[in-house]
Structure formats: structure tokens, C-alpha cells
Amino acid sequence: MRIGVYVCHCGGNISDIVDVKAVAQEAEKQGDVVFAKDYSHMCSGNGQQMVIDDIKEHKLDKVLISACSPLFHGETFKAAVVKAGLNPYLVEMSNIREHCAWVHYDDKNKATEKAKNLTKIGIEKVRNNKPLETIETPIGKRVLVIGGGIAGIQAALDLGDAGYEVHLVEKNATIGGRMAQLSRTFPTNDCAACILGSKMAAIPKNKNIKLSNYSEIEKIEGTIGNFNVTIRKKPTYVHADACVSCGDCVAPCPVSLKDEMQWGVTKRKSIYLPIDFAVPNKYLIDGDKCLNIKAQKKTGEPSKVCRLCEKACHQGAIDFSMKAEKEEFIVDTIIVATGHDVFDATRKPEYGYGKYENVMIAPEVERVIVHKGEGTPTIDMGERIAFIQCVGSRDEQIGREYCSRVCCMYATKLSQLIKSMANVNGENKDIYVFYTDMRTFGKGYEEYYKATQRMGVKFVRGRPAEVIEDSVTKKLIIKVEDTLNNIIIESEFDKVVLSVGMQLSEGGNEIAEILKLPKSEDGFLQEAHPKFRPVDTSKDGIFIAGTAQGPKDIPDSVAQASATAARAMRLMNQGKITEEPLKAFIETDLCDGCELCINSCPPNAITMQNGKVVVNPVMCKGCGMCIASCHADAIDLNMYTNRQMLAEVEAALKDKKEDERIVLIFANDMCGYKLADSVGTAKKAYSDAIRIIKVPSTSRITPQLMLQAFSMGADGILLADCEIKSSDFAGSIETAINYVDKVKNILTEIDEDPERVMIFQFATVMLPKFVALMNQMSDIAYKNKPISDKNKEIIHKNISKWLFEK
Amino acid sequence: MIKRVKIKSSNRDFLKKVETLSGEDITVCDRCGVCTGSCPLTIEMEISPSNIMKMVQLGQEDVMDYNSMWVCSTCNYCTARCPRGLDVSKVTEALRQIKLRQSFDKIDIDKIPKEELRELPQIALIGAFRRLTS
């Protein structure tokens, strides 16, 4: 065997902390290693070419790249070795950046020692790698777009125009989303309805797009190329094909309600058109408020109550007996564009929203401006208006650390619109914007800000402390420090407008649950990589666009939506998708046909044939749960074989010094390993006793392996997996918990601290918790003496007795 | 005249000292001013609470020349509202500690007349002697 080892400097990211030359020298001493080189940027074209040339020149048959996370550049190096004619599964990566240099930056010696060890672990893993073939399955050209806001519309149109079959599902009666509720849009001041209306109208005209409005996603099962979707269309009680949108039904309706599309600044009836430019442009009845439907729901029978709209409708379109309908269909990829909700301003009671009548939120002002522009003013904004910025953004008191990115610009826009309308009418308006930092970063935004300043809108730097209402005049007093003037302002205003921030929508939360999508620390949906895969999710074939991914403005949402369309097309256009050969396999010679593994497999991929078990690779998901059930070591998992896992553990522990402690962390790639990478990226330091080993699922880590690790000198083991609700593998975490309990019991029996082994379920946002747990495990390891040689011997001898003879 | 200040590298020692004593990450203050707006005692203060934070950030020891840190009553209004989760009152307390430890107006217990000693509030005495012990 001829192994080539490469240690990457990562342009200083690694080499500033780790002595990469020493790591390479140490690696060169390992058996079968032909050479070990260090290089500034392994991922660069030159770096990759070096690997390709070396494979040919030195006849390498295995390659180890000691650099960044395999989740980051694993594919890069697989592609590189393929160019040199090597099987892609004969290259491995040791993560000495996220798991070493970036987290042990305060101690160069320790970081270097750990990097040497991590590289050795990698060498042992790759030594046991076998050539494997990727699995190919067909993929069609069907896409589900969830959410019909501007992002969903853009994605649907791009895909529809390109000839893909799009199913656009919108929860509300009309598409258009949040943008349809805006007055004008910055920085051009064009009317939102005008520029959005034509895009909305293009949806039903596109023959490749099927629109399901007023519909909710009930269930999505399956994976890329075969997502089985169930949607539920809520009853509108008006037959869309019969309704001609004449509006004659509205006047007789006796029910008057706040219009939520208008943020409550106007009223609507129980039968209504959501907005003037609604698509589809059809009336509907509010099933929760209509007198007839309410009576019907109470008695369970058709009711005679009211029915005034029915009498008014010349088309006979109204049908009080309409029921919800379910529809099932299959798609190949999914685009999630579920958008945002605005921050609930009543959570900042010091600003008095909901308590003082003259305190408004900015979305309400958008509608006030629309109506005023149309000549139907709803609310008089008064002469003195104050905007309070960062309500629900950049505020740890309410758990919102992030900037919502649009509030500076929309407050600037609203103040400009109010001011210019006043100027036209010859009115005086004093408008003040109280901000912490003005962030006008986009193209043309700074100019827009300056134009607003020129119009006489005053921008005052300071976050208002509180708003107090004069109980008689109902005017509002704001108390705020002008931090640039070193003065405290206490002034009276007619209206106070709260510039509320964004948060993931309720619907977005539901879809995240259904699709098991991870969220980032800010509560929005998490992209696969913040820079290079900004619209992919960690689930293959699922993409995110618009404000579901994080706060953003319209240009960014549209750009992102087009990006998702392109990314989805990239997958579907190939006609086939490749899957990693992460499958269980049987060593038929060793199998004695005991059948124990059959019951351990949730997808029922294992069956008996001629007295031996066989695995169906199409059904096998690759969780590795079957391995622990086999007492003959006959069943194993490709890419993470027993031999490989054991070799990694052995390499981690082989050179352990007497005063040293080693804690092994088996982290699943979907949550645990990704989280460990995020900890590295965030440069949060932790104990150098930690060795993180990637696994597909913690149920791959058998009790045998854990006990073997202890008998070889491990001081602690932490299994890091996803939360059960977001796990890819049914039952796997429950099984792993069971394994850990078994090992804990055995440790207790031999008088070792059972806290040495633990399992934890992580969401990918739990950075501090992960760091704390790693340090806790390390503390436990240092608090205890290493496991005694006697106990190591006992463990080693009794593994199969403990696990299989009961 | 506008005050001219030289920021020296040694200024970070003062910042570090206040950070250690208060346990607060003072450098994350971006001076939004919500502490000042919330403070009920600014009317008595020579510089605002947010100004204190900014001066400490730059390690300006002359922050202790102003009366503000003594006026702070630790009512914690600022703490309840700080969007960066800082406890400004802990910072003023740290500044008071530093000033007290300098013991520039040391009290000699023997020189206080007995009658006066009986009359003085205990808390004032404890406060006065704390500067000698820490």
C-alpha cells in the first residue's frame, strides 16, 4: 500500500497555530506512508494538481488530506483523485482546522500534538478504505415551491419558464406575500403592487406552473427524486370557476372584520377579495367568521342562517357545503420560500404598542400611505412623527441578536413618503428617526438615505428608552439620549412608529418540522454553507429562498429565489442523482443465520436467503443500527466499517501519554459533526483532550466499540447526534441511548465512573452547549484516574459475555 | 475647548481591570443610549451612563473624575433594557471599587469622635472601611 499525506497551511489559518512541518514529519514515520508534504492551499488548483501528479508519479493508492472539514472540501478532493484514476473513496480528510487550529489557538504546542494525532487517525482510516461505487438513481423535473411570496413567485417563474413542472403551494387565498402589503419599495419608490402585480399575474398564465392557493402542506415523505407530498386545500365556499369577481356579494354581508392584509387599518367583510390584485382573483368566505358556516359547524348540518351573499351572487358560485380537499403528488426537488412574520411589538412593553392608540408598527403605516395615496385616508399621521428603530432586532433582552436588515431602509422610505406627500399638500411635518446605526448598504441605498436627509427628515442617534402617553391629549413623549450630542431628548409626538424586525414565519416553522430542516441560531432556516452553498439546505434536493433563510430585502430575495431555481435545475437536468454507497453489507462466511439483525432494521432492508441474511441496498438507509445486533461481526457498514472505526480509535489512543486524557466524540455528520465545525468557525476554544470522529449516525457506534475504546485507554466517550425529531434515521437515536445505558451499567459494575460515557441530541444551533459538554467530558476524564490496566483487561475479556450472553 | 486625549496602549490595562472587576464585556457596548434614556438619575450626572461605557472602552481613567459613578443607585433600569445584555450598574460599581482602593481620603477610625461614631449610619462606616480592606 502506498499512502500520500498532505498537510495544508490553509493560508495561515492552520499554519499560524499548528507546526505543519512537524505534522508532516510525524505522518511520514507512519507505515505505508510514501511521503508527507505540507502546502499553502491544498484546495487550490495547484494543490489539487499536485495530488493528481503525485498519484501518477508515485503510484499512490491512498491519499490523506490533513486540512479543513471533510464537509467543506471532501468533494473537492474526491473529484481530484478521480482525475488521477483513483477511486473517490480512497481519499480521506483529517480536520485539523475546525477541530484543531481554530479551537486550540491559545496553545501552539498542544494544537500541533493534536494535529499529529488527528492526522494519524486519518491515516489509519484511509488505510482501511476500500474502493466503492456511488449509487445512481433517476430524477425527474418536478418541483414543489412552498410559499407564494415574491421569492416563491420568482423561483416558480424561473423554473416554469425553463420547462420544469412546478407546483406552487400558498397558504393564503392569494399569492403575493408580504410584498403585496407594502406601499412603495426602496430605493426607487415604485409602487409594490404595480411591480409585483405583473409577476403575480404571470403565474396562472404559465402552463408549467400549477398553483394551489389557500392550501397547506400536511405531509412530505421521501427523499430527493421522490418526495411524496400531501396538501390540504381549505374550503373557500366559492367555486373559483364560477366566480367572475363582480363583488356583488360583499355589500349584503353583515359581518365586519379587521382586514389582516391591510394590517387592520381597514375593514373587510366575511366574504371578500384578499386584495384588489389578488391571484387568483376570486372571492372567498372566511370560514371562521361567516355566520352560516359557524352555524353549520355547530349543528353539523346545512344551515339556513344568513345566506345573503348567496342570494346576491348571479353566478351561483357560492357553496356553503364545500369541504377541504386533499391532494397527493410526487416531486423531485423542493424550494422552501415561506417568508417571515414581523416581530410582535407588544413584547417591548416600554414602547406601548397595543396599549397607546398612537403607537403603530411600520407595516400599518405602509397601508395608511397606500390608502392616503389612493385618496381614501384611514388614519391621520399628525404633524410630529417619530420612528423607533431596532424594535425586535439587535436586542438580547428579547433574544434577537441579529439585525433585520430592512428596517433602516423602510423607515427612511416611509418618512420620505410621508414628508413628500406633506410637501405636495403644503403641510408641515416633523419626522424624526431614532436609530442605533443606520445601515444603508445596498445599491443606491446610501444615496436614498441622503435624499431623505435633504428633505428634512431628522436622524437622531440613540435608542429610545421608553414611550409615555399623555393620558389627556393622547400625545406621546419619547425619552432618548442623543448619543452624538450628549444630550437627553424628551419630546412630544403625535405618532410613534415602531420599525419592527423580522422573524421566521409560523408557516416556516411548520415546514421546518415537516421537512426536518435545521435552523440557525437566529431562528431562521439554515443554509448548507454560509458562503458557498447559501441557498442549499443540509437535505439533498431541498432549497431555501427569501426571508425564510434570514432577513433580507426584495432584491436579495429575488436573487436568492433565482439561485434556488438554478440549483434545483442543476440537479434535475442531469436526469440522475448519485448517492453515497453508505450501505450495510454482509460477510457471508461469518453469518450464522441467527436472524437477530433482521429485527434491528427499521426500514426492513435485511431478509433471509438460503440460511444467510442479505441486505437490500435500495432500502438500506445506512444508519448502522444492525451492526450491534451481530455477535459474529458478519454485518458491517460501507465507509464506516468495524475495522475502520477500530483503527481510528486505536490511532487516537495509541500514543497517549500518562498524564494525558483522551475523550472520543462520535459525531453524526448531519448535526454533531456540523456543529463541531460551527464551533471551530466561531473559534470557541475547548479542551484539547477531545478527538472528534465522524459517523453517519450514533447508532453506528456499537457498545462493543465503546467498550473496546475504553479497554484501549479512552477516558470518555460522547455520542453527538441530532434531536430525535430532526434525525434522518428512524429509531437510531433511541437505539444509541440504549447502547449508552448498557455501557454505563457495565462501567458501574467494574467501579468506573459511568459519567465517562454520554449521548446528547443537538440542534445545530447549540454551540455553547456543545462546547460546555465537551469540556465537561474532559473534566470528568481529568478528575478520574485513567482506567486501570486491570479494568482494561476485564473489559477486553468480557465484551462478548456482557453483550451477547444475557 | 474640546478635550484632547491620547489613547495609549497602556489604556487597555484600565479597561481590563474594569472588565475583571465588573465581569462585563464592556467592549461590546455600541452606545445605543438606552441606558441613559432609562436612567432616573441622569439629571444629577455630569456624564451619561453610555458615556461612561464608551470612556471605559477606550481606557480613559478620567471617567472617574466625574460624579456619575457615585450618583448611580444600582436601580438596574439600564441592565433590564440593555440590548447587548450588559449590566452597566456593575461597571459603575467596579469604578467605585477602583476609586475606593486608591484610598486617597483614608479615614482613621481613632480620629472620629466617639459621639459622632455612635451617630453615623453603619452602612456609611462599612462603605468607608471597605476601601481599606479590598
Side-chain angles (χ1 to χ4, degrees):
Chain A
M1 193 178 298
R2 298 176 65 79
I3 305 174
V5 178
Y6 298 87
V7 185
C8 184
H9 297 210
C10 195
N13 275 310
I14 294 169
S15 55
D16 286 351
I17 311 293
V18 171
D19 182 349
V20 286
K21 293 230 175 334
V23 174
Q25 278 163 14
E26 182 75 15
E28 218 156 41
K29 290 182 201 155
Q30 307 305 308
D32 296 331
V33 173
V34 182
F35 59 76
K37 295 179 176 177
D38 63 285
Y39 187 68
S40 59
H41 293 99
M42 283 309 298
C43 59
S44 68
N46 288 346
Q48 293 183 44
Q49 194 55 46
M50 178 167 75
V51 178
I52 294 168
D53 294 344
D54 284 348
I55 292 172
K56 289 178 183 161
E57 192 188 328
H58 297 279
K59 305 211 165 12
L60 301 178
D61 49 14
K62 300 277 173 75
V63 173
L64 176 78
I65 316 277
S66 208
C68 56
S69 169
L71 300 182
F72 191 57
H73 268 313
E75 294 302 317
T76 311
F77 293 110
K78 270 188 189 170
V81 301
V82 167
K83 277 188 197 150
L86 209 61
N87 182 283
Y89 294 93
L90 298 179
V91 59
E92 285 286 341
M93 291 186 78
S94 280
N95 188 346
I96 60 167
R97 190 177 76 171
E98 282 89 341
H99 295 183
C100 187
W102 279 353
V103 290
H104 306 311
Y105 49 80
D106 46 0
D107 193 329
K108 291 187 179 183
N109 287 332
K110 281 185 173 170
T112 303
E113 287 309 308
K114 180 167 164 181
K116 284 180 189 169
N117 190 228
L118 291 177
T119 306
K120 281 186 213 166
I121 296 173
I123 293 170
E124 291 314 312
K125 169 127 203 230
V126 79
R127 186 198 302 283
N128 290 293
N129 275 19
K130 292 217 167 66
L132 296 166
E133 296 304 324
T134 49
I135 302 163
E136 282 184 359
T137 43
I139 184 169
K141 293 193 168 187
R142 300 155 296 182
V143 196
L144 166 68
V145 178
I146 308 174
I150 182 59
I153 290 173
Q154 182 67 36
L157 286 176
D158 282 352
L159 285 158
D161 290 346
Y164 290 77
E165 196 184 308
V166 182
H167 202 131
L168 175 61
V169 177
E170 165 60 47
K171 175 177 76 164
N172 288 327
T174 176
I175 55 171
R178 293 288 177 210
M179 188 182 168
Q181 296 177 297
L182 301 180
S183 54
R184 288 169 181 272
T185 54
F186 56 78
T188 43
N189 278 358
D190 34 13
C191 115
C194 320
I195 54 172
L196 177 65
S198 59
K199 279 211 181 278
M200 286 164 67
I203 292 282
K205 280 188 203 138
N206 193 313
K207 64 179 187 334
N208 290 326
I209 302 175
K210 184 180 178 199
L211 170 64
S212 294
N213 65 318
Y214 217 40
S215 301
E216 280 175 7
I217 306 279
E218 278 216 333
K219 206 166 63 180
I220 298 177
E221 281 168 344
T223 51
I224 178 170
N226 189 26
F227 288 109
N228 205 331
V229 186
T230 311
I231 62 169
R232 180 177 165 273
K233 186 169 170 70
K234 295 174 275 185
T236 60
Y237 305 103
V238 178
H239 285 294
D241 40 2
C243 174
V244 293
S245 310
C246 64
D248 290 348
C249 50
V250 176
C253 179
V255 185
S256 177
L257 302 158
K258 273 195 171 174
D259 190 343
E260 52 287 84
M261 276 304 278
Q262 305 289 339
W263 286 98
V265 305
T266 56
K267 302 254 174 172
R268 67 163 168 86
K269 294 296 185 66
S270 169
I271 186 161
Y272 67 109
L273 187 66
I275 35 172
D276 303 343
F277 54 101
V279 171
N281 204 271
K282 305 289 173 187
Y283 282 76
L284 74 153
I285 292 177
D286 186 335
D288 294 329
K289 297 291 194 282
C290 169
L291 300 176
N292 183 288
I293 312 272
K294 278 208 292 202
Q296 216 187 101
K297 279 180 186 163
K298 210 178 259 172
T299 59
E301 281 166 28
S303 160
K304 290 206 172 76
V305 176
C306 191
R307 288 187 175 253
L308 290 171
C309 53
E310 195 181 27
K311 285 177 203 122
C313 180
H314 322 291
Q315 300 292 319
I318 291 165
D319 175 4
F320 291 107
S321 67
M322 201 184 266
K323 295 274 175 305
E325 284 168 25
K326 275 195 189 176
E327 189 187 342
E328 270 186 55
F329 53 93
I330 290 174
V331 293
D332 300 285
T333 54
I334 298 175
I335 291 170
V336 179
T338 47
H340 67 275
D341 283 343
V342 303
F343 172 72
D344 174 11
T346 57
R347 286 186 60 202
K348 292 294 284 179
E350 58 266 45
Y351 295 151
Y353 180 69
K355 194 166 60 173
Y356 305 147
E357 59 186 71
N358 284 321
V359 178
M360 304 172 73
I361 54 171
E364 295 169 349
V365 181
E366 298 274 358
R367 298 319 297 170
V368 170
I369 287 177
V370 170
H371 291 295
K372 186 146 195 225
E374 288 166 351
T376 50
T378 49
I379 294 170
D380 178 17
M381 294 296 291
E383 195 186 318
R384 290 175 58 78
I385 304 161
F387 284 84
I388 299 181
Q389 297 305 104
C390 299
V391 180
S393 308
R394 306 180 67 197
D395 188 351
E396 287 170 36
Q397 297 293 350
I398 41 138
R400 300 290 161 86
E401 211 173 320
Y402 57 88
C403 164
S404 290
R405 295 183 83 224
V406 293
C407 323
C408 284
M409 280 305 288
Y410 76 58
T412 307
K413 173 193 76 183
L414 291 174
S415 55
Q416 192 182 108
L417 293 176
I418 295 170
K419 192 86 180 165
S420 59
M421 272 185 189
N423 288 349
V424 171
N425 298 332
E427 297 165 348
N428 278 324
K429 296 261 184 205
D430 271 343
I431 305 180
Y432 291 80
V433 178
F434 295 102
Y435 68 93
T436 308
D437 294 294
M438 282 306 284
R439 293 179 171 176
T440 56
F441 53 89
K443 189 170 178 172
Y445 291 8
E446 182 66 17
E447 296 88 328
Y448 189 79
Y449 172 37
K450 189 178 156 194
T452 315
Q453 286 176 307
R454 185 177 286 136
M455 290 172 77
V457 175
K458 314 272 195 323
F459 289 84
V460 179
R461 193 187 180 284
R463 189 190 276 255
E466 56 201 1
V467 176
I468 298 157
E469 186 190 54
D470 183 324
S471 57
V472 182
T473 63
K474 303 288 174 195
K475 292 200 176 200
L476 302 160
I477 298 154
I478 288 184
K479 198 173 166 203
V480 57
E481 177 181 25
D482 180 343
T483 55
L484 299 180
N485 266 334
N486 270 326
I487 53 169
I488 295 171
I489 298 174
E490 276 189 74
S491 282
E492 206 175 59
F493 294 93
D494 298 309
K495 288 276 178 204
V496 168
V497 183
L498 307 182
S499 295
V500 283
M502 291 184 181
Q503 63 192 42
L504 183 63
S505 66
E506 224 174 279
N509 274 313
E510 284 162 22
I511 297 299
E513 291 264 312
I514 291 172
L515 291 174
K516 295 180 175 176
L517 294 178
K519 290 185 204 156
S520 40
E521 220 164 337
D522 56 10
F524 290 91
L525 302 183
Q526 185 160 38
E527 62 279 7
H529 188 276
K531 294 186 190 73
F532 299 133
R533 292 177 68 195
V535 298
D536 299 8
T537 66
S538 56
K539 306 261 177 179
D540 287 341
I542 303 179
F543 305 91
I544 38 175
T547 50
Q549 182 261 345
K552 59 180 61 68
D553 54 15
I554 295 165
D556 283 4
S557 290
V558 171
Q560 226 185 22
S562 290
T564 55
R567 294 291 286 176
M569 285 188 242
R570 167 182 166 270
L571 287 180
M572 292 185 291
N573 199 36
Q574 298 171 44
K576 62 179 190 215
I577 36 168
T578 51
E579 197 190 336
E580 297 255 306
L582 176 66
K583 303 287 173 189
F585 65 95
I586 311 284
E587 299 272 6
T588 317
D589 299 346
L590 298 175
C591 175
D592 61 5
C594 74
E595 298 192 2
L596 279 174
C597 53
I598 293 180
N599 290 330
S600 75
C601 178
N604 297 322
I606 309 175
T607 46
M608 281 297 277
Q609 259 176 33
N610 305 328
K612 307 266 182 184
V613 292
V614 288
V615 177
N616 177 345
V618 179
M619 289 166 85
C620 173
K621 304 252 185 244
C623 64
M625 226 187 285
C626 47
I627 299 169
S629 67
C630 184
H631 60 112
D633 283 346
I635 197 159
D636 213 337
L637 185 66
N638 271 334
M639 300 167 72
Y640 300 93
T641 60
N642 279 326
R643 187 181 286 198
Q644 285 179 305
M645 301 304 303
L646 210 55
E648 285 184 271
V649 170
E650 205 177 344
L653 300 167
K654 200 170 61 183
D655 306 328
K656 198 180 115 177
K657 295 179 198 78
E658 211 166 291
D659 57 345
E660 202 184 358
R661 302 285 188 276
I662 302 276
V663 175
L664 299 173
I665 303 205
F666 294 102
N668 80 320
D669 45 11
M670 162 97 177
C671 298
Y673 200 86
K674 206 166 272 174
L675 186 54
D677 282 359
S678 309
V679 169
T681 311
K683 305 204 167 53
K684 291 187 195 290
Y686 52 78
S687 162
D688 65 308
I690 304 296
R691 299 287 183 275
I692 299 169
I693 296 173
K694 185 158 88 76
V695 290
S697 133
T698 51
S699 56
R700 164 66 192 86
I701 303 307
T702 59
Q704 295 95 302
L705 184 68
M706 286 189 255
L707 291 170
Q708 274 164 331
F710 281 124
S711 79
M712 284 184 230
D715 297 287
I717 294 175
L718 171 66
L719 305 189
D721 211 315
C722 301
E723 290 176 313
I724 288 178
K725 63 176 183 199
S726 50
S727 169
D728 267 346
F729 307 111
S732 96
I733 295 163
E734 292 89 330
T735 308
I737 292 171
N738 196 359
Y739 293 168
V740 167
D741 285 344
K742 259 188 199 168
V743 175
K744 271 185 192 289
N745 288 340
I746 290 168
L747 288 178
T748 316
E749 258 176 55
I750 59 166
D751 280 338
E752 288 291 347
D753 189 347
E755 299 300 315
R756 284 179 187 274
V757 57
M758 180 165 41
I759 178 163
F760 199 83
Q761 302 167 35
F762 293 98
T764 42
V765 298
M766 295 181 175
L767 273 76
K769 179 75 191 169
F770 193 42
V771 173
L773 271 183
M774 286 193 286
N775 285 334
Q776 181 189 328
M777 294 300 290
S778 160
D779 289 347
I780 290 167
Y782 275 101
K783 193 184 78 189
N784 288 302
K785 283 196 182 116
I787 296 178
S788 65
D789 288 346
K790 196 182 126 216
N791 269 349
K792 282 184 195 167
E793 190 67 27
I794 292 174
I795 297 173
H796 185 69
K797 276 190 181 153
N798 290 301
I799 289 176
S800 63
K801 191 181 114 195
W802 283 329
L803 295 173
F804 295 109
E805 286 176 22
K806 276 178 190 170
Chain B
M1 194 189 74
I2 297 170
K3 201 167 178 177
R4 270 162 175 69
V5 178
K6 278 211 173 74
I7 311 282
K8 294 179 288 252
S9 301
S10 58
N11 281 27
R12 65 172 172 239
D13 300 339
F14 181 66
L15 167 65
K16 203 155 186 197
K17 197 169 181 182
V18 183
E19 284 195 327
T20 312
L21 279 172
S22 65
E24 296 296 307
D25 283 338
I26 294 166
T27 42
V28 305
C29 169
D30 62 358
R31 198 176 182 188
C32 67
V34 89
C35 47
T36 307
S38 306
C39 180
L41 287 169
T42 44
I43 195 145
E44 300 291 339
M45 286 182 182
E46 288 163 1
I47 59 169
S48 71
S50 67
N51 206 344
I52 295 178
M53 297 297 279
K54 273 289 158 189
M55 289 183 79
V56 176
Q57 259 180 20
L58 292 184
Q60 287 177 259
E61 285 193 47
D62 54 340
V63 68
M64 297 190 296
D65 297 346
Y66 301 96
N67 74 347
S68 302
M69 65 191 199
W70 303 109
V71 175
C72 169
S73 71
T74 334
C75 74
N76 279 354
Y77 241 111
C78 49
T79 312
R81 286 181 179 163
C82 176
R84 286 281 166 96
L86 292 171
D87 192 335
V88 186
S89 63
K90 277 196 182 148
V91 176
T92 54
E93 171 62 11
L95 293 173
R96 290 194 292 263
Q97 293 264 358
I98 292 170
K99 193 75 190 173
L100 289 173
R101 283 175 197 186
Q102 289 170 356
S103 303
F104 71 97
D105 56 348
K106 189 171 174 164
I107 292 175
D108 191 343
I109 193 164
D110 294 334
K111 288 191 181 143
I112 303 174
K114 278 217 168 107
E115 310 77 63
E116 221 168 283
L117 209 53
R118 218 168 285 130
E119 293 293 309
L120 278 171
Q122 279 190 355
I123 195 75
L125 284 171
I126 290 166
F129 289 118
R130 195 174 59 176
R131 73 184 72 168
L132 307 177
T133 54
S134 58

